[in-house]
Amino acid sequence: MIPSIQTFLKNPSDIDGLTKSIQEQKVSIFGS
Amino acid sequence: MTRQNPPKLFVPPSAQVTLAASRRSFLRSAAIGGALLGSSSLLAACGGDSGGGGSTKTVKFGVNEAKDSGAAYQRMKGFADAYQKKSGVKVSANYVDHNTFQESITTYLQGSPDDVFAWFAGYRMQQFAEDGLLTDLSDLWPIDGMGDAFKAASTSSDGKQYLVPYDYYPWAVFYSKSTWDKNGWTPPTTYDDMITLAEDMKGKGLAPFAFGDKDGWPAMGTFDILNMRINGFDFHMGLMGGKEAWDSNEVKKVFETWGKLLPYHQEDPLGRTWQETATSLAKGEAGMMMFGTFIGDAIPDSVDDLDFFTYPQIDPSIPADSLDAPIDGFALASGGQNQDAGKAFLKWLGTAEAEDAANAAADAPMIGATPARARTATLPSSSSRSRSSRRPRTSRSSSTATPIPASPPPS
């Protein structure tokens, strides 16, 4: 999450890619 | 350095607060980013006082603040020194940089941890309790002066308590009273008011929002409050609890809004620590700063000039009645070598005497977890009280997010 937020702060335009990436990280860690 | 009072604090009675959060971020958010990965050797190597491991006359104390790093370190040392003096038990303190401590915590607890260590309430505690890395502290509860909200935040999924809270810190928008008085600014209550104010600040050469995220966690506070203001308290807690999707339209709307607000924030935030950010606010380079009440730790000489307001309403259908108010506490590592001495230390750490000792040792005091402590450390702000009293009360709460004492009792 922290790297993702920092990526957003550098490039706030790719929100779809950002949220997709965070969701994938969540699923990989928590399984759903 | 002269000892200062903390910023005046009043948590609106109507406010719902996310006690499940850590001071710096939520567990699940941090875990997603892999922030909890690291090496226990870092914790073992940093700054420890010498002392025997299993002696009944020694308790090992893992502290998430580096030596000589400011008021938070001073308070931790105050805890350790006062207990050592009172009990005759040597407190062998292991002082570690805050971010390093967090990054190394998992392997630290799985290795040879200190007995008592500083940590956070809520999800971040629950995970380690569920993994068997913490000792049950239920026999220390109830703790005198700590209400149900603090107990809930110290309780894991098995219904047992694993934490002794010592402070909490609402997140709000801080500003310099002298700067605002000079410019005739007043706290905004709506998004449009905030933008109008921000434009005026820009026109006068100030960055509207002081902003730094070199530490990785400060920007999480902005995400949290935007999510609460745009999607509501329940959605936010659901997202933090893993029940909502991060690629949902609701979350995208948060980032879209944040993107529109970024031009009102200081540039290059990744190159600025939170202490540097707070300093820029104190110097009048920026007009506001979204942060926790521990902002005073970085600018103790400017605390008397600070005031704050809760983040304005964004969606008119969602009242601005929620905020982050994370809790810090102490836990007992199940891998600690001196369980009895550790528990005895924890029992003392849950007293007002302990908090008084910590605050007396520091340039800036914390806001204690008990009303008795709060009475000594804070006074309600008259401006905040009058503003908040107009807000409707709500009664919603959950096991992980409940209202905290709204204000200190009268002294």
Side-chain angles (χ1 to χ4, degrees), chain B residues 52-75:
Chain B
S55 166
T56 56
K57 289 297 183 184
T58 300
V59 59
K60 288 187 171 182
F61 186 29
V63 178
N64 56 354
E65 302 290 346
K67 270 188 174 178
D68 301 322
S69 57
Y73 158 76
Q74 292 167 343
R75 292 192 292 269

Side-chain angles (χ1 to χ4, degrees), chain B residues 69-391:
Chain B
S69 57
Y73 158 76
Q74 292 167 343
R75 292 192 292 269
M76 289 294 176
K77 188 174 188 303
F79 279 128
D81 290 347
Y83 183 70
Q84 184 165 289
K85 182 177 180 181
K86 176 184 178 69
S87 67
V89 174
K90 178 176 175 57
V91 178
S92 178
N94 179 21
Y95 296 106
V96 180
D97 164 71
H98 193 88
N99 292 346
T100 302
F101 194 96
Q102 293 196 70
E103 292 165 1
S104 309
I105 188 66
T106 302
T107 44
Y108 164 71
L109 290 176
Q110 291 172 337
S112 301
D114 300 301
D115 303 310
V116 174
F117 68 100
W119 198 236
F120 313 105
Y123 292 130
R124 307 189 77 179
M125 173 212 70
Q126 291 174 14
Q127 179 194 34
F128 296 126
E130 290 168 356
D131 291 344
L133 296 172
L134 305 183
T135 297
D136 177 11
L137 301 177
S138 299
D139 56 336
L140 298 183
W141 286 84
I143 296 175
D144 187 34
M146 291 192 201
D148 291 343
F150 286 99
K151 185 175 182 180
S154 304
T155 301
S156 188
S157 54
D158 62 1
K160 298 176 180 177
Q161 289 73 53
Y162 292 88
L163 197 82
V164 173
Y166 64 87
D167 75 352
Y168 68 97
Y169 30 89
W171 280 60
V173 183
F174 288 85
Y175 62 93
S176 160
K177 288 185 290 189
S178 60
T179 299
W180 280 46
D181 288 346
K182 186 170 61 180
N183 289 282
W185 294 327
T186 56
T189 57
T190 67
Y191 180 86
D192 288 345
D193 288 347
M194 183 172 72
I195 296 301
T196 299
L197 173 64
E199 288 287 354
D200 194 39
M201 289 175 171
K202 287 183 74 171
K204 292 176 177 172
L206 279 74
F209 279 95
F211 192 46
D213 198 42
K214 187 175 183 178
D215 307 280
W217 50 264
M220 294 296 296
T222 296
F223 174 85
D224 292 342
I225 198 66
L226 290 178
N227 194 30
M228 281 188 269
R229 293 292 182 268
I230 293 169
N231 296 312
F233 178 80
D234 291 339
F235 179 87
H236 180 67
M237 294 309 295
L239 184 68
M240 295 299 113
K243 298 173 184 172
E244 303 286 351
W246 282 85
D247 57 355
S248 64
N249 288 333
E250 287 87 348
V251 175
K252 289 178 182 177
K253 189 173 182 181
V254 172
F255 284 110
E256 289 166 359
T257 304
W258 197 355
K260 293 175 184 174
L261 289 170
L262 280 179
Y264 298 109
H265 290 64
Q266 280 177 325
E267 295 181 349
D268 303 322
L270 303 188
R272 191 175 299 110
T273 67
W274 73 269
Q275 293 95 338
E276 292 167 341
T277 311
T279 299
S280 72
L281 178 73
K283 292 168 65 177
E285 297 170 353
M288 303 174 274
M289 182 173 170
M290 177 66 195
F291 210 70
T293 50
F294 57 97
I295 187 174
D297 286 1
I299 47 174
D301 292 336
S302 300
V303 165
D304 288 343
D305 189 41
L306 286 179
D307 205 344
F308 70 93
F309 56 90
T310 53
Y311 203 90
Q313 187 176 52
I314 293 178
D315 182 335
S317 69
I318 298 175
D321 64 354
S322 57
L323 49 79
D324 276 344
I327 295 172
D328 286 333
F330 297 110
L332 181 58
S334 60
Q337 297 301 301
N338 202 338
Q339 295 287 300
D340 290 343
K343 191 166 282 189
F345 185 28
L346 281 161
K347 186 174 184 179
W348 179 80
L349 287 168
T351 65
E353 177 187 359
E355 189 220 57
D356 289 345
N359 278 341
D363 292 330
M366 61 191 172
I367 302 171
T370 71
R373 298 175 188 185
R375 184 170 60 239
T376 66
T378 67
L379 289 171
S381 162
S382 58
S383 60
S384 297
R385 179 183 292 277
S386 61
R387 279 170 38 73
S388 62
S389 65
R390 294 196 295 271
R391 299 194 181 101

Side-chain angles (χ1 to χ4, degrees), chain A:
Chain A
M1 184 65 185
I2 287 173
S4 296
I5 292 288
Q6 293 188 326
T7 297
F8 166 75
L9 295 176
K10 288 186 285 189
N11 176 24
S13 61
D14 184 18
I15 292 173
D16 285 343
L18 171 76
T19 55
K20 180 182 178 185
S21 172
I22 299 174
Q23 176 65 13
E24 289 173 349
Q25 293 171 57
K26 173 202 167 188
V27 171
S28 71
I29 293 171
F30 298 106
S32 63

